[in-house]
Amino acid sequence: MHQISDVCQTMNESHNELFQMKTRRDFIKISALGLGAAALTAGASKMGMGFPLLGSENEPGSEENTLRRVPTYCEVCFWKCAGWAHVTEDGNIIKITGNDDDPQCNGRLCPRGTGGVGMFNDPDRLKTPLIRVVKDGEQTYREASWEEALSLIASKMSDLRSKYGPESMALFMHGAPGTHFSHLLKAYGTLNLAAPSFAQCRGPRDVGFEATFGESVSSPEVTDIRDTRCLVLIGSHIGENMHNGQVQEMSQAIDNGAVIITVDPRLSTAASKSKYWLPIKPSTDIALLLSWIHVLIYDDLYNKEYVSTYAEGFDELKAYVKKFTPEWAYGITTLKPDLIRNTAREMANAAPSVIIHPGRHAAWYGDDVQRSRAMAILNALLGSWGNRGGFFFKEGIKLPEFPHPEYPKPAWTWKDLLNGKYPMANEAPTNLVIESSIPTGDQEAKIKGWIVAGTNLISAIPLKEELSKAMQSLELLVVVDTMPMEITGYADVVLPECTYLERYDDIRATSHREPTLCLRMPAVEAKNQTKPAWWIAKQLGERLGLGAYFNYTDFSEVLDWQLKQVGSSLDEMKRIGVKKLSRESSPYLEPGTSHTFKTASGKIQLYSHELAEAGFDPLPAFTKHPEPEEGFYRLIYGRAPMHTFSRTANNPNLVALMPENSVWINPQVAKIWGIKKDQYVWLKNQDGAVSNFAVKVRITERIRWDSVYIVHGFGHHHKPLHFAYGRGVNDTELITNVMMDPIMGGTGMRGNFITFLTEDPGKEVEA
Amino acid sequence: MRYAMAIDTKKCVGCSDCVIACQTENNVPLGFCRDWVTETVDGTYPNVSIELRSERCNHCDNSPCVRCCPTGASHIEDGGIVLVTQNKCIGCGACIQACPYEARYSHPDGYVDKCTFCIHRVRKGDKPACVAVCPTRCMYFGDLEDPNSEITNVLKNRKFKALAPEAGTNPQIYYLI
């Protein structure tokens, strides 16, 4: 047992150590401490859990009967499928299966969810709090107790609060831990809370749909793929992005004989299942969308009744698209006019059971809100929003907040940092928070401290230089993660979170076809010194004098209280895992009745007054984007079904399925370069950025000759990630040209071009 | 009773969930697998097609692995499921060479291992782990001798093929094309 004075003593020492490092925050590899230094095979041997094997003396599967089944919902991606962790008597999780009652997965997890065991078993997991110190003139981490780490952070946050105000703290978050730290920081007095899921991902899409229909497509998306007769995918690669419910429904749509139209410069998996694949020239999507709108209007194929009842601005739209004929689009997109007309007719034939899918990662070329607007307008002309087989109206249940004092009102928020930029940003763009953490001239930075929870900014953010400058300027950088991701190497304090299988989190209260509640609870005790995010936030809150916001001993009390307010209980949820509630409203527009859309006028905005007033095109315009110079190829990136961003790259089970990414090269291009199958090459972009590692070549007819393709999330350069280190390339290190969306601050990332280096450029890798 | 599997290549997205579900269900050591996914690409851009297939032991009627097994470890169970009795297997590997589908591997514990059609689940009335997990529901498992089974119906109504018919093994994994 520590004496309190001992703890204070240690705390002060750490505090001083921290202050000595104002000048530069060196990248520290956690492996220097000998933590997590397991051999590559450790994962395999750890998997030997005495499960009965066939032909052994046991009856096959006899141990199955003694397994405990604990409800959870997945945290390997944002879809959050509900499932069961199967736990042996001695406390090992041997498998995870889906919960049959969850409409988001229907009892079937995706490979990442099934592979969630690997996240739990990963020998490289963070194990104990770490504090940055100077030892023999070098920065390093030393292991610390929770008491010491938490007190150090709280004391530093108190300092920042009194020196600069609580608004000087910001949060970067992804997934479940984000909600706990959001609560902490709101109580502390800041609303500078940012997630890469906005500016780097779905933000442009959501803003484009909100400007048109008054609401976004949400997550999970309100796409009625199950009952659609025509599904149009524009760069969205369902099946490679493993958004479980959508993958399942696309399969149902195939069974039902739905027409699938896929627009993609690459023969994606979805494209290979499509009746029409439109191998578009990259960056010309808006031209195609405008010509589709032209055909629907000028060939009289649009849904007149729907448009006249629910939409406004049709005349302006009609006049505007007059010149955007398929012949015009052909010269831009390289898609034949007949193909454009035929596919428009297919959509009209299926309408209103048709979905122009808005995709998810939409930050491509900086005009992404406008592209999303064009998709939304197409949907409106086809009458798909609010109709079966198009987009349904979601319904959910809102759990009341566990009682706490009102949050203080911050003196300023991220919105005050905009200075007229990004007028339609309705969530904080990460890039804005990053820029605001860098001092300019004699101006102090507005943001002085970060908590980063569950997101590896090093892989997520393309603006490397700004990110680096910001991290060097901060007075406090705390990283909370389960794994020693690259971002942990820049932290002053690293806090090891336990995995989703070892913790309570908020109830998943989902709005979708039907309202659902799902429980995540600890299946086993947390490994090592790891702790759940709710506990970390509460401990910090108490040390900051915010105990009243955390008026419970265990988070289960919060959940039980919340569940009881809506007629359930923690006990009930522990038994069933998922509770489906019945809808009260219709999921579709009722024929003959009016409907008020959540726009300013209550009507669908074909012509956007909101955009016009903010100084943007009220109707989407096609803009020509830069093209590769000779010897360079457009860098297109995407997803693989067995990995989630960079966060699964070290999961031993998922590494076994896909250990590295490869660069897809058209055979003609490979021939010119003399590049052979499976050869390793380095990639260099238009600004001279060179990949940290070499990447394996995949020569395939599935990619255009003017583009290359890589799966995002590989090329980790942090050695403590033993399975992931040095495998493949990280696309974001080659994305130095960022095309900002002026409407909401999205970081368009598809304007980068790479060339091949067949000899080792001898790049020094910070590892 | 004749157990078989039909896999719809028009729906499979190649996600490999079948592979990892098999691994966690059957405790297959990392680095090995009882099932796997292949992709074949045909044509020239932009006239290209791909076929994705989840592959495994074909539980052949005429199984060369059973014929060549010197100890009787490889045998055929009720319902035509080809199995290896681990404590009878001496790990000689003859069956690995005999299999035209490369469906068997040497388990680090010294015996030969392969797909069992999850017989421990099937006996309880469950589907094999790969079938039960597949997000696209592209796999059908059941009894070909039952005229009302889903697999019988799906094979009646769809075009299908089997792998390496030239090997004469009469494989029981059917691919819907």
Side-chain angles (χ1 to χ4, degrees), chain A residues 537-550:
Chain A
K538 177 177 152 68
Q539 294 293 322
L540 286 173
E542 285 168 357
R543 283 164 180 76
L544 287 161
L546 305 168
Y549 291 87
F550 301 90

Side-chain angles (χ1 to χ4, degrees), chain A residues 95 109 251 273 698 704, chain B residues 12 17 25 39 45 134 136:
Chain A
K95 63 177 175 179
L109 297 179
S251 195
K273 314 250 175 241
R698 177 182 180 187
R704 280 175 67 103
Chain B
C12 174
D17 206 0
E25 177 68 29
E39 176 193 319
Y45 193 98
C134 177
T136 68

Side-chain angles (χ1 to χ4, degrees), chain A residues 305-358:
Chain A
E305 198 193 330
Y306 184 96
V307 169
S308 65
T309 311
Y310 300 117
E312 59 184 24
F314 179 76
D315 294 340
E316 290 94 329
L317 176 67
K318 183 173 177 177
Y320 173 68
V321 298
K322 185 153 196 249
K323 57 180 181 284
F324 302 131
T325 60
E327 285 69 20
W328 166 81
Y330 176 43
I332 297 169
T333 62
T334 73
L335 300 171
K336 295 222 165 83
D338 276 359
L339 185 58
I340 296 176
R341 285 206 171 82
N342 289 343
T343 44
R345 277 189 199 111
E346 288 275 13
M347 295 176 210
N349 286 342
S353 295
V354 52
I355 300 166
I356 315 300
H357 197 290

